[in-house]
Amino acid sequence: MAAELASTCDASPSARRARVSDLAARMLSKTSKQSSDPAILLLADGTAFYGRSCGAAGTAVGEVCFNTSLEGYFEVVTDPSYAGQIVTMTYPQIGNYGIDLADTQTAPGMPGRHLGNVKPALRGLVVHDMCHVPSNWRSTMSLPEYLEERGVVAIEGIDTRALVRHLRDNGAQKGIVSTEVFDLAELAHMLDSAPDLVGTNLVQTVSCKEAYGYDASSLSQNRAFAAAAPANARKKVVVYDCGVKRGIIEGLARVGCELLVVPWDTPASEVLKHRPDGVFLSNGPGDPDAVEETYAQVQRIIGKVPIFGICLGHQMISLAAGATMEKLAYGHRGGNQPVLNLLTHRVEITAQNHGFGLVFPSLGELVPELSGGVSEHPCGSDGTPATGDLRFWVERGVAPVVSNERFGRIRLTHVNLNDGTAEGIQLLDAPAFSVQYHPEAAPGPTDAHYLFTAFMRLMDGDRDYLDIDIAKDRLAGWTFAEEPVA
């Protein structure tokens, strides 16, 4: 090997590059990664990253974004909310504990949608270092094997720190990842020809095609050793599937909901015919303004039955109230987003996945007597209310209320502490509330589990349904092994 390296150093520059490339390939083939094909990631602004394939061969186009979760990569890969996106994981090594198909977040209940027997909704995956030989007693296959088997293009070996900094400085943007095309001009042409995320209805690609039921009897037993027994079903809830995660379905069933999951465009009249105790609006991918069929139905349901919405469901309630949405620079994706509950003044570390957000002032004018005496929405540096930093309300300890033309008084309940964006609202004159984040912790912390309990309390008619000790509630769903008796 030393002689080979010496001869390489004595060669011409072009021959030296060829020999080093061949030598590197042969050295890599002796490691757990084995040999791999080259891959490239090209962004819409012309920035290119070169690496190695660690998934399926092919070419994929989508919006390049990043997720800051330290674990839960399989739940991220199988989250339907990532439809249309190429996800970059910021944690350096991904795949080290392999995967168990029981952890898939593809919703259950539909033929072919159980245990990951369907291609994930995301377009591609970007990591710094992919582990090809996982170590975990629950693992049944490696992440690269899963990606290749499901046809997901993935790239490793790039500087994900540089990529994430670029996206933070320049915003999320379209990109193309390929293991078969390396001509930059050709890749740029393919990228320009692809549709933008804004204006595209991705919900229809991940929603169920027909209604199905789900209750506690359908719960997986793979976590029975740690999870507390589910509550008895006592509320009938219709779930609008806009790309609902399996963890959400399970969370609702565990607190006592008997579910009927329906497609994203189910008419309100059909939902109300079932005489549900409540309606749940799920998470989902893409531009909320493009999902008019859903928020038009929500507008007809508000006031008739209790409603709880998360993520895209939060945006559906907001749009039904006539609000404006804004495209965030790079969105919130990960399991470490700090949010303040303005009602309890407790901070929640939350799991999030969205690229659009509610412009709270667009819901209506402030009601001063319910907003700490403040009569005008706070403004940004350019003097416009739309860019106001909602941490203004955090500093004052006030949950402001606006007067909405359609549904009366609406209160801001949650604010993101990183950027001051709206994270939750509560309708005061109708039984409805919503948050922009995920309460099911799949993956992520359990701080927001209390929102499932709050929904049950809302359906019970409790006026203070959001006033819950989150520390006690998040522990209620688990059991802990007792100390062995000596």
Side-chain angles (χ1 to χ4, degrees):
M1 181 69 73
E4 188 171 356
L5 289 172
S7 64
T8 297
C9 294
D10 295 336
S12 64
S14 59
R16 186 160 60 242
R17 283 193 297 270
R19 290 182 183 177
V20 169
S21 177
D22 177 66
L23 178 60
R26 283 189 285 130
M27 291 175 65
L28 191 63
S29 69
K30 302 298 183 182
T31 70
S32 62
K33 290 185 180 295
Q34 302 297 309
S35 58
S36 56
D37 295 327
I40 185 173
L41 170 66
L42 178 68
L43 302 182
D45 63 9
T47 306
F49 296 86
Y50 296 89
R52 303 181 302 277
S53 172
C54 57
T59 301
V61 178
E63 182 186 59
V64 183
C65 62
F66 60 89
N67 184 294
T68 57
S69 295
L70 302 183
E71 44 73 41
Y73 50 79
F74 183 53
E75 289 89 339
V76 170
V77 167
T78 56
D79 183 349
S81 295
Y82 279 112
Q85 295 181 313
I86 297 172
V87 182
T88 303
M89 301 301 294
T90 61
Y91 191 73
Q93 186 181 68
I94 299 298
N96 58 327
Y97 56 85
I99 62 172
D100 181 344
L101 292 178
D103 295 333
T104 181
Q105 287 305 299
T106 303
M110 293 289 289
R113 297 186 74 180
H114 184 54
L115 295 184
N117 294 327
V118 66
K119 181 178 179 179
L122 84 171
R123 298 282 174 80
L125 184 67
V126 181
V127 303
H128 174 65
D129 179 31
M130 178 68 82
C131 179
H132 293 251
V133 183
S135 177
N136 175 16
W137 66 273
R138 293 182 66 237
S139 177
T140 58
M141 64 192 308
S142 71
L143 181 57
E145 288 173 332
Y146 175 86
L147 297 173
E148 184 174 6
E149 186 176 294
R150 299 305 194 276
V152 178
V153 181
I155 182 174
E156 70 166 321
I158 73 170
D159 188 344
T160 49
R161 295 171 301 178
L163 173 58
V164 170
R165 285 182 177 178
H166 187 82
L167 295 176
R168 284 183 62 91
D169 293 342
N170 300 279
Q173 56 187 285
K174 280 199 303 182
I176 183 169
V177 59
S178 181
T179 66
E180 53 193 9
V181 179
F182 295 92
D183 182 81
L184 295 182
E186 184 178 353
L187 287 170
H189 175 71
M190 297 169 66
L191 193 54
D192 290 340
S193 302
D196 290 326
L197 181 66
V198 176
T200 299
N201 183 351
L202 293 169
V203 167
Q204 61 187 342
T205 68
V206 293
S207 177
C208 61
K209 304 304 180 186
E210 57 186 34
Y212 64 92
Y214 191 93
D215 58 26
S217 65
S218 306
L219 289 169
S220 170
Q221 296 302 307
N222 69 306
R223 295 186 184 87
F225 67 93
N232 294 327
R234 59 185 185 87
K235 297 294 183 183
K236 294 182 179 180
V237 173
V238 173
V239 176
Y240 267 94
D241 179 7
C242 296
V244 67
K245 294 175 66 177
R246 179 167 169 262
I248 294 292
I249 294 288
E250 292 184 344
L252 289 168
R254 286 190 175 280
V255 294
C257 294
E258 180 183 341
L259 307 176
L260 176 66
V261 185
V262 300
W264 68 285
D265 57 352
T266 301
S269 57
E270 185 175 332
V271 168
L272 295 174
K273 280 182 182 178
H274 293 283
R275 302 178 65 84
D277 296 301
V279 171
F280 180 81
L281 308 172
S282 84
N283 60 291
D287 184 354
D289 283 308
V291 197
E292 183 177 359
E293 289 91 334
T294 300
Y295 66 78
Q297 306 312 315
V298 174
Q299 191 174 44
R300 298 181 178 96
I301 297 173
I302 291 178
K304 295 182 173 65
V305 64
I307 298 178
F308 174 31
I310 68 156
C311 200
L312 185 77
H314 162 75
Q315 297 163 359
M316 294 296 98
I317 291 178
S318 301
L319 286 169
T324 300
M325 294 294 146
E326 63 179 341
K327 181 76 166 64
L328 303 179
Y330 44 81
H332 303 149
R333 299 178 179 89
N336 49 9
Q337 294 283 333
V339 169
L340 181 74
N341 183 326
L342 293 172
L343 303 179
T344 64
H345 305 289
R346 296 290 295 268
V347 175
E348 305 165 27
I349 304 302
T350 67
Q352 304 198 14
N353 173 18
H354 61 98
F356 294 81
L358 162 67
V359 179
F360 178 69
S362 67
L363 283 171
E365 297 298 321
L366 288 171
V367 180
E369 59 269 26
L370 297 176
S371 306
V374 180
S375 59
E376 299 290 336
H377 287 287
C379 297
S381 57
D382 61 357
T384 61
T387 57
D389 189 337
L390 298 177
R391 285 174 292 189
F392 171 92
W393 302 109
V394 172
E395 295 169 357
R396 285 156 181 77
V398 173
V401 176
V402 299
S403 178
N404 182 259
E405 291 182 357
R406 297 179 181 176
F407 301 120
R409 298 169 301 162
I410 299 180
R411 171 187 285 153
L412 177 69
T413 57
H414 298 78
V415 172
N416 188 297
L417 295 177
N418 280 341
D419 59 10
T421 52
E423 292 281 5
I425 59 173
Q426 176 188 23
L427 277 61
L428 300 183
D429 298 315
F433 75 110
S434 60
V435 294
Q436 184 62 78
Y437 49 97
H438 291 206
E440 87 289 356
T446 59
D447 293 23
H449 178 272
Y450 76 97
L451 293 166
F452 290 125
T453 304
F455 185 35
M456 294 296 288
R457 291 174 57 166
L458 173 63
M459 290 187 284
D460 285 336
D462 188 339
R463 293 177 60 87
D464 297 321
Y465 59 91
L466 282 174
D467 186 9
I468 297 174
D469 185 337
I470 66 174
K472 291 182 179 179
D473 187 89
R474 68 182 178 183
L475 297 177
W478 302 94
T479 60
F480 301 92
E482 297 181 357
E483 296 260 347
V485 178

